[in-house]
Amino acid sequence: MKKIYTFLFLLIASAVFSQQDAWIYFNAKPNSQFYFDSPLEMLTQRALDRRANQNIAIDFKDIPVEESYIDQVKLASGITVMAKSKWMNAVHVRGSQANINALAMLSFVSKVDFADNSLNQSAKIAKPSKRAKVNKTSKTKINYSYGSSLNQIQMLNGHLLHQQDYTGSGKIIAVLDAGFPGVNTAQPFERLRSNNRILGGYNFVLRDSDFYTGVSHGTSVLSSMGGYKENSLVGTAPDASYYLFITEDDTSENPVEESLWVEAAERADSLGVDIINTSLGYFDYDNDAYSHTYSQMNGTTTFMSRAAEIAFSRGMILVTSAGNSGGTSNPNIAVPADAASVIAVGAVNSSEVVTSFSSIGPSFDGRIKPEVMAQGQEAIVSDPAGNIVTANGTSFSSPIMAGMIACLWQAFPQKTNREIRDLILKSSDRFSAPNNQYGFGIPDFALAASNLLSLESVSKDDFIVYPNPASDTISVSLPANFGDGTLFIYSILGQKIVEQKITADRPIISLKSLNEGVYLYKMESDGFSKTGKIIKKL
């Protein structure tokens, strides 16, 4: 009987793996001019406004895939169309190698690209490096009762943004994940539901509108941003709005999940989403021939990472988990964390020490990865029943970071995605000496906000050092009725480097003698003291 079962398994496996996955690229979009003339036929007004705010023009990538091309591919013998992408002008198909190769004869097909790289004519065959399977999976001051979730927000100084009423309001985050059961019923999501902050979603895996289903990974991910249960859990962006997209098929590992992610990212773009959180990563697949290699982690090779770069070029910010392979023989980041513009987030514990599971860099082409860190060990999240529990993984450090980015961008809506991204990196505690475990370190969102606050938005009773980061000099805005004082600047190790008297007539301090890096300052006068950080750049 055992032999029979083994034989049946081999037959089934042979049948499954004889079916190949491939991307079929098209060479034209015949109806382009119609969409250039009528952009609202493909993008919402909010999406167009986001583009306009960042001076991003509509281009060929925005035009939908020609449906007649897709129809002809569907009619081809033995071919199933699994997904489509307007950004890539391609469809993801499944069929035999011969039937897929036959599609190259169609006049509108420019290229056939097999997921099994050894089947591509110009491919250099490389054996995938296996890693252990991992589980992917004028303001009113606000003082939330964060409860046990305080540490993961306070680590980023996010509570200080919340106190200034920057809680993500007006920003939209798309969560691309494995499922969201309980979000429509559990108490920690009641605040989102009652304020109509769940804007919609879609199940790309099953091709239906039921997104309150699937694996609860997405539920926990969402809770770390949008959850709210007083004295237990406050998400990093409790007043942001959310789209929930299921792109991960937890029953198998197949490259089609990359294509489904791209479809969802395109949908997010068209809806005017500001931030995409991806607590997913792809490296190994059930069919070893599809698995990626470290040499492909260069941001320009895989289907998903190339699309992530396009998503960034549309004006969105992409935040993704670095991966949970840190303790394996292949500890490096996975797709799409390798993309250059993605903010890949590693995991630290509550004491800001990197966890053993957090994937490391660099990317294959030598770039610092991950970019930043947040709490991913014993992160406070909600389960589908509304219980407040802890969870481990960069899957949670990523949304904790994404929520704070929404709050910062709310404070500075005129800034581009690139400016916000750069500001976050420059506010991080290892910016002057990054490495491939911590990246640029743990961002200080209060510092990032202070770097851009204009004097017009500062009360006459406030003290502010600007600009920050600074090159040659900094200026000091003094509170009303402020007398003489002294500004001290210290190295990160506590060594005093600068001491200067500050008055209303002499508010400028030279930094020309300082090397690039992070410094501490302290301002003292009678009855007044304030400390903070300064970043010196070249």
Side-chain angles (χ1 to χ4, degrees), residues 51-114:
R51 305 284 186 94
N53 290 340
Q54 301 185 57
N55 296 314
I56 298 170
I58 294 171
D59 62 22
F60 181 81
K61 291 183 176 67
D62 295 312
I63 308 301
V65 182
E66 173 61 33
E67 287 295 333
S68 67
Y69 294 172
I70 299 175
D71 291 340
Q72 290 183 65
V73 172
K74 287 179 177 178
L75 290 173
S77 176
I79 295 295
T80 302
V81 174
M82 308 297 294
K84 64 180 179 180
S85 169
K86 65 178 182 180
W87 289 344
M88 302 293 199
N89 198 19
V91 289
H92 186 124
V93 302
R94 186 169 294 162
S96 70
Q97 181 181 353
N99 286 337
I100 291 174
N101 275 327
L103 296 174
M105 302 302 294
L106 295 171
S107 62
F108 51 83
V109 170
S110 65
K111 183 175 71 169
V112 174
D113 185 20
F114 283 93

Side-chain angles (χ1 to χ4, degrees), residues 155-193:
M155 182 183 294
L156 303 171
N157 264 341
H159 61 298
L160 300 180
L161 264 66
H162 288 179
Q163 288 174 9
Q164 297 301 313
D165 203 23
Y166 298 128
T167 55
S169 180
K171 289 298 175 183
I172 301 177
I173 302 173
V175 188
L176 280 55
D177 218 285
F180 305 93
V183 172
N184 56 334
T185 56
Q187 187 279 327
F189 304 101
E190 171 59 31
R191 194 168 185 266
L192 289 181
R193 296 193 302 266

Side-chain angles (χ1 to χ4, degrees), residues 335-389:
V335 171
D338 65 311
S341 300
V342 160
I343 299 177
V345 187
V348 295
N349 64 19
S350 59
S351 300
E352 303 187 4
V353 177
V354 66
T355 66
S356 60
F357 58 78
S358 186
S359 293
I360 64 173
S363 62
F364 184 74
D365 55 322
R367 288 174 286 109
I368 289 289
K369 287 286 179 175
E371 273 78 11
V372 291
M373 309 294 283
Q375 186 170 338
Q377 183 170 314
E378 297 188 342
I380 307 302
V381 300
S382 173
D383 68 11
N387 301 307
I388 305 306
V389 297

Side-chain angles (χ1 to χ4, degrees), residues 156-359:
L156 303 171
N157 264 341
H159 61 298
L160 300 180
L161 264 66
H162 288 179
Q163 288 174 9
Q164 297 301 313
D165 203 23
Y166 298 128
T167 55
S169 180
K171 289 298 175 183
I172 301 177
I173 302 173
V175 188
L176 280 55
D177 218 285
F180 305 93
V183 172
N184 56 334
T185 56
Q187 187 279 327
F189 304 101
E190 171 59 31
R191 194 168 185 266
L192 289 181
R193 296 193 302 266
S194 62
N195 289 291
N196 299 313
R197 301 296 191 191
I198 304 294
L199 302 182
Y202 188 72
N203 188 333
F204 286 88
V205 175
L206 298 180
R207 298 292 178 184
D208 63 35
S209 58
D210 183 10
F211 51 89
Y212 294 125
T213 187
V215 178
S216 62
H217 184 269
T219 303
S220 296
V221 166
L222 174 64
S223 73
S224 67
M225 293 180 280
Y228 185 89
K229 187 173 184 179
E230 193 168 358
N231 293 313
S232 297
L233 169 65
V234 176
T236 47
D239 291 323
S241 296
Y242 297 89
Y243 282 104
L244 310 180
F245 296 134
I246 298 177
T247 64
E248 161 70 14
D249 183 355
D250 197 60
T251 65
S252 66
E253 290 297 307
N254 184 277
V256 73
E257 293 167 283
E258 294 189 40
S259 296
L260 297 180
W261 183 93
V262 175
E263 273 200 53
E266 292 175 358
R267 178 82 62 89
D269 170 41
S270 70
L271 291 168
V273 162
D274 301 296
I275 298 164
I276 294 176
N277 181 79
T278 305
S279 290
L280 304 168
Y282 298 98
F283 196 92
D284 289 321
Y285 289 114
D286 294 339
N287 183 348
D288 286 347
Y290 294 163
S291 295
H292 296 309
T293 61
Y294 177 53
S295 64
Q296 293 175 314
M297 300 298 105
N298 58 11
T300 60
T301 296
T302 69
F303 192 78
M304 190 173 179
S305 294
R306 286 186 287 132
E309 284 300 302
I310 296 173
F312 186 80
S313 76
R314 311 295 100 171
M316 296 181 287
I317 292 177
L318 287 87
V319 189
T320 189
S321 53
N324 300 330
S325 298
T328 72
S329 59
N330 289 289
N332 295 91
I333 52 168
V335 171
D338 65 311
S341 300
V342 160
I343 299 177
V345 187
V348 295
N349 64 19
S350 59
S351 300
E352 303 187 4
V353 177
V354 66
T355 66
S356 60
F357 58 78
S358 186
S359 293

